[in-house]
Amino acid sequence: MRKSVVEDETLDGAGGIAGEPAGGGRQHEDFLKPLTAPPASLERGTNRCRNQKLPRDRGCLLGFCHSGGQNFHFGAREEPSARNTMEASDEELVGVADELVEPPNGVINELLNVGQEDNMKGEVEEFLGPQAEYNEEEEERKYYRRKRLGVIKNVLAASVGAMIVYSVYMGLLQMQLILHYDMTYREVKYSNLGLEDIDRKMLMGINVTPIIGLLYTPVLIRFLGTKWMMFLASGIYALFVSTNYWERYYTLVPSAVAIGVAIVPFWASLGNYITRMAQQYYEYVNYKEEHVQEQKKLPKGACHRYIIIFQSVFNIIFHLSFVFAQFPMLFVLNHYLNDNEHILFNVKSCGANISGVIPGFNTTVLTNLPRSMLLIQLESVLMGFAFLAMIIFLVLCGAAYRPTEEIDLRSIGWGNIFQLPFKHLRDYRLRLLCPFFIYSGFEVLFAVSGFSLSYGVCILGLDKLWLLILVYGLSCSVFSSLCLGLLRLPRWVCLMGGAAVHAVLLVALLCFSLCPHPDKSSQYLSPLLVIIALWGLGTALNKTGVSILLGMLYAEEKERLDFVYTIYHWWQAIAIFIVYLWSNLPMRAKLSILLATLLLACYCYWVMERRLASKVPFRLPRIPRPRHKVKGYRYLEEDNSDESDTESEEDDEEDGEQVAEERGAEGGEEGGHDAEVQGADSPGARRRGAEGQRP
């Protein structure tokens, strides 16, 4: 091809070379010799072809390029005599090159692709490779910082939600009891409906139903989950508010019973949730630790610091519910109350000398009845806050456990879940703390009903009831922050400090009794407020201290927290029922029961701490392994055709080792029996049994 091109462009019609005599004897070896490397002007010509954006198969494939008014041929070297002839046909050749669409024989000039493929590979590797500005450790740190902020958000949301729920509940219940106590209100509104004793039946439903809470609380929490149990319980409290729009037996009494059913699960879920948030916060702070990455049991005492902080924050916020619960009475009901001379006209004695609540208290406490529309508006506001609490639990509260952990908690068997709360009472730590659980229920109800009514209202009048409970709530909230001192002090300081304060006050109240004088009642206001504030101090140290203590004792046992807090709040429910029964007892008998329970609780707590210091082993029931049911004949372990003999032997050895560990953990005859049962239910045992039954 190179030869034909030379013949067409350099030879004239006579067969000679243009610019030389015909028939010359000059040898043209150099002329016919191919160029080994293009000159610099050829490179400039190639660049010009690129600048003209000619395709690789067109202008540059003709064998020449036009650069600087010179033509260079790829196959031969031009003589100066042929330059004029070539310049004359330069424009025609360029035109012909533009018309060509595809070069002959698909020849491609590779000069334009020099380095392009390498550049493309470099760009792809740069795009897919690790970015220089990306710091994996920094991104991980930011991720776990967001997780920690999420945990704090969960604690605050749960605290605010519980505070709103109990503000609505206690505020509505207090207003209902005062309205239903008034004889005129009952006769006008309920005489035709036969609801004169509706308040007594409501209180019975609220106080009696929690007795059976130990039977169903763990099942409900495991079935619904901790977060959804709190959400459902807040919905039941909202239902109680909604039934007041249509007051009938079939609305008020069932809603009161539902409240009693929800009390123990609600509080057990809250205690479990706050402790779980402390455990999660520890995991997100120490995410680089090996035991955290492998989701093993936490080291002993690792998350105690966060339990103290989170439980203190929860109680600081929650105890404000006593404050907000007084708003309905302060802004609405107080404007309809009679004066104290009328209400306390037949009251002869107050304090430790009385029996019942307030003997001689007038049954007409209202000057005129509140408008129905006003009560509906007030109930609508309370209903709105109840829905707000539900939304807070639903939207702002995150899950307490991972999805796999929730499944494992349910997969131990519903029969085991039902029995485990009772089995946990074998632990001497819980048994010895039961008197404190009972006393914590006694003292709260005594503050809001016993002292506030038999001392406060009996002396100061009904219009000061809101002030007494408001001071009590503020005192509980403020002094709950003192439990943060457990970060530096021993854990017995809170419980023993609160017990000491209450013991002194109980002895003082046993000696305190007087006859009411409406003219001199104002001089007793300050002493009574000081007493109720000090009682709030003891309540804060007691309730916060018990919650912290339970969290610290079982901080490493996250699968037992719901059982432990269920036992705690079930004993509180028993105490509430006892207070409901003793309402007609003499005040000195009530105070004596409180003082005796407190002393017994202190002694039992001292025994527990002494045993723990002596390292006396405690007995914990074994939590069965999760049993995940996989349906389908392909997954039956007895007929696993894909399993090799080696795998079968390894599974049998693992099952035997685990059974031995479970026997050692349980201890005693019962532990051995449970381990044998677990071993009989193990996959290896079932497989061996199936093999023995085959013919």
Side-chain angles (χ1 to χ4, degrees):
M1 182 177 178
R2 183 186 304 162
K3 183 177 180 180
S4 62
V5 173
V6 172
E7 290 176 355
D8 292 340
E9 295 184 0
T10 60
L11 298 179
D12 57 3
I17 300 176
E20 286 193 13
R26 182 180 177 181
Q27 300 297 326
H28 303 288
E29 297 176 358
D30 295 336
F31 176 75
L32 297 174
K33 186 181 295 185
L35 295 175
T36 57
S41 60
L42 177 60
E43 295 182 359
R44 291 195 298 269
T46 303
N47 294 334
R48 180 167 180 173
C49 289
R50 293 177 182 174
N51 295 335
Q52 292 176 358
K53 299 183 179 179
L54 294 176
R56 339 186 327 183
D57 54 352
R58 296 182 63 181
C60 293
L61 298 177
L62 294 175
F64 76 95
C65 287
H66 180 72
S67 176
Q70 296 181 354
N71 295 324
F72 297 95
H73 197 276
F74 292 166
R77 185 173 55 194
E78 289 183 319
E79 293 292 334
S81 61
R83 185 175 303 169
N84 296 330
T85 305
M86 299 297 293
E87 289 177 355
S89 60
D90 187 19
E91 296 181 357
E92 297 178 359
L93 292 175
V94 172
V96 173
D98 292 337
E99 293 177 359
L100 293 177
V101 177
E102 186 176 9
N105 300 327
V107 180
I108 300 175
N109 187 2
E110 300 293 340
L111 291 176
L112 297 178
N113 289 333
V114 176
Q116 288 186 2
E117 186 175 355
D118 295 337
N119 293 336
M120 185 177 296
K121 290 183 179 179
E123 292 177 358
V124 172
E125 291 177 357
E126 182 180 359
F127 178 76
L128 297 179
Q131 301 296 323
E133 64 275 8
Y134 179 78
N135 189 339
E136 184 177 358
E137 185 176 355
E138 179 67 18
E139 292 298 326
E140 187 179 32
R141 188 183 64 82
K142 291 180 180 179
Y143 171 78
Y144 282 102
R145 183 179 63 183
R146 291 194 298 269
K147 286 290 188 180
R148 292 194 296 271
L149 292 176
V151 170
I152 296 174
K153 179 261 298 178
N154 292 340
V155 173
L156 295 178
S159 305
V160 173
M163 183 266 293
I164 294 176
V165 165
Y166 262 74
S167 298
V168 172
Y169 166 65
M170 291 189 295
L172 179 62
L173 186 62
Q174 178 181 339
M175 185 181 68
Q176 275 188 340
L177 293 178
I178 293 175
L179 290 176
H180 294 170
Y181 180 81
D182 187 80
M183 182 178 62
T184 306
Y185 185 87
R186 291 201 311 270
E187 290 179 354
V188 170
K189 193 165 186 178
Y190 298 137
S191 59
N192 296 330
L193 302 175
L195 299 178
E196 291 84 358
D197 59 344
I198 187 65
D199 54 343
R200 184 176 60 84
K201 294 184 178 179
M202 286 176 55
L203 289 177
M204 183 182 297
I206 293 173
N207 295 319
V208 175
T209 312
I211 294 177
I212 60 174
L214 191 63
L215 303 178
Y216 58 81
T217 296
V219 176
L220 281 179
I221 295 177
R222 293 289 175 102
F223 179 74
L224 296 172
T226 305
K227 171 189 171 178
W228 292 103
M229 187 67 249
M230 295 189 299
F231 172 73
L232 178 62
S234 63
I236 292 176
Y237 281 94
L239 174 67
F240 176 74
V241 178
S242 65
T243 56
N244 286 270
Y245 288 107
W246 187 253
E247 295 179 323
R248 297 293 187 273
Y249 268 122
Y250 55 83
T251 59
L252 293 177
V253 175
S255 65
V257 173
I259 287 286
V261 170
I263 285 177
V264 177
F266 181 65
W267 278 102
S269 300
L270 282 173
N272 183 17
Y273 190 80
I274 300 300
T275 307
R276 277 293 299 144
M277 289 301 105
Q279 293 173 343
Q280 286 187 6
Y281 196 87
Y282 169 80
E283 293 174 357
Y284 295 147
V285 170
N286 302 275
Y287 60 90
K288 294 183 179 180
E289 299 292 335
E290 182 179 358
H291 63 274
V292 174
Q293 294 178 355
E294 297 180 0
Q295 298 183 13
K296 294 182 179 179
K297 184 178 293 187
L298 300 181
K300 188 173 182 60
C303 59
H304 288 181
R305 175 184 182 86
Y306 306 113
I307 291 174
I308 294 170
I309 295 174
F310 287 176
Q311 289 288 356
S312 300
V313 170
F314 171 78
N315 282 277
I316 289 172
I317 297 175
F318 171 77
H319 283 124
L320 292 176
S321 60
F322 291 99
V323 177
F324 295 112
Q326 302 309 309
F327 284 3
M329 184 173 182
L330 175 61
F331 296 113
V332 177
L333 205 56
N334 263 13
H335 303 294
Y336 297 91
L337 295 179
N338 268 315
D339 56 1
N340 293 333
E341 293 183 358
H342 172 78
I343 296 175
L344 303 176
F345 181 77
N346 294 322
V347 176
K348 305 300 181 183
S349 180
C350 296
N353 291 331
I354 65 174
S355 297
V357 183
I358 307 177
F361 199 72
N362 203 323
T363 56
T364 56
V365 297
L366 301 176
T367 56
N368 54 344
L369 302 183
R371 294 181 295 108
S372 297
M373 186 56 65
L374 177 63
L375 296 179
I376 291 174
Q377 292 173 354
L378 178 59
E379 291 165 358
S380 300
V381 172
L382 296 177
M383 191 69 190
F385 279 102
F387 275 119
L388 176 62
M390 293 179 63
I391 294 173
I392 289 175
F393 283 122
L394 179 62
V395 177
L396 297 182
C397 289
Y401 294 91
R402 300 181 183 91
T404 54
E405 291 175 339
E406 292 275 5
I407 295 173
D408 290 343
L409 291 176
R410 299 189 192 103
S411 301
I412 65 174
W414 298 110
N416 291 322
I417 294 174
F418 177 80
Q419 297 174 15
L420 280 171
F422 301 95
K423 291 183 177 180
H424 274 81
L425 289 174
R426 301 169 182 168
D427 187 357
Y428 70 80
R429 297 176 297 176
L430 279 179
R431 289 202 310 269
L432 293 174
L433 284 176
C434 285
F436 249 123
F437 299 160
I438 296 174
Y439 178 75
S440 64
F442 282 166
E443 57 96 4
V444 173
L445 280 185
F446 176 77
V448 299
S449 61
F451 178 82
S452 298
L453 296 178
S454 299
Y455 287 86
V457 173
C458 185
I459 297 173
L460 303 176
L462 190 59
D463 58 340
K464 295 295 189 297
L465 175 63
W466 68 271
L467 181 59
L468 292 169
I469 300 181
L470 186 143
V471 171
Y472 173 72
L474 285 176
S475 175
C476 290
S477 177
V478 172
F479 290 122
S480 293
S481 61
L482 295 179
C483 291
L484 293 173
L486 293 182
L487 295 171
R488 301 293 182 186
L489 300 174
R491 64 188 179 193
W492 56 265
V493 172
C494 274
L495 287 178
M496 293 296 101
V501 173
H502 278 183
V504 173
L505 291 177
L506 286 172
V507 173
L509 291 176
L510 281 170
C511 305
F512 182 69
S513 61
L514 52 85
C515 297
H517 297 283
D519 299 335
K520 301 180 180 179
S521 60
S522 59
Q523 65 182 357
Y524 297 108
L525 178 61
S526 297
L528 290 175
L529 291 179
V530 171
I531 292 175
I532 197 69
L534 291 176
W535 194 273
L537 167 62
T539 299
L541 296 177
N542 176 25
K543 293 188 70 65
T544 311
V546 170
S547 299
I548 291 174
L549 179 61
L550 285 179
M552 294 172 70
L553 292 177
Y554 296 91
E556 297 79 29
E557 306 285 345
K558 61 182 178 182
E559 69 276 5
R560 305 179 188 272
L561 290 176
D562 51 348
F563 302 125
V564 172
Y565 282 101
T566 295
I567 293 172
Y568 168 35
H569 294 290
W570 179 70
W571 280 111
Q572 276 193 330
I574 296 296
I576 292 173
F577 176 68
I578 295 174
V579 172
Y580 170 74
L581 294 179
W582 78 15
S583 58
N584 292 324
L585 288 178
M587 179 56 65
R588 294 188 190 275
K590 299 176 185 178
L591 295 173
S592 300
I593 294 173
L594 279 172
L595 186 58
T597 306
L598 178 61
L599 295 177
L600 177 63
C602 293
Y603 172 75
C604 291
Y605 177 69
W606 175 77
V607 172
M608 186 203 75
E609 290 288 359
R610 184 178 178 182
R611 288 187 181 181
L612 290 177
S614 302
K615 296 183 180 180
V616 177
F618 46 83
R619 186 179 181 185
L620 283 175
R622 179 180 54 84
I623 302 294
R625 288 189 307 167
R627 301 175 183 177
H628 302 291
K629 296 181 180 179
V630 182
K631 298 182 180 179
Y633 69 92
R634 295 183 181 180
Y635 303 100
L636 292 176
E637 296 182 355
E638 292 83 358
D639 298 324
N640 188 358
S641 59
D642 296 330
E643 185 180 25
S644 64
D645 294 335
T646 305
E647 293 174 348
S648 177
E649 293 175 359
E650 291 177 356
D651 291 341
D652 294 344
E653 292 177 359
E654 292 178 359
D655 293 336
E657 292 176 359
Q658 186 159 2
V659 169
E661 292 177 359
E662 290 171 354
R663 288 178 179 176
E666 175 66 18
E669 296 180 358
E670 184 172 357
H673 175 71
D674 291 342
E676 291 172 2
V677 173
Q678 182 67 23
D681 293 338
S682 64
R686 291 198 300 269
R687 183 166 50 252
R688 290 190 295 271
E691 292 175 355
Q693 294 176 0
R694 294 174 185 171

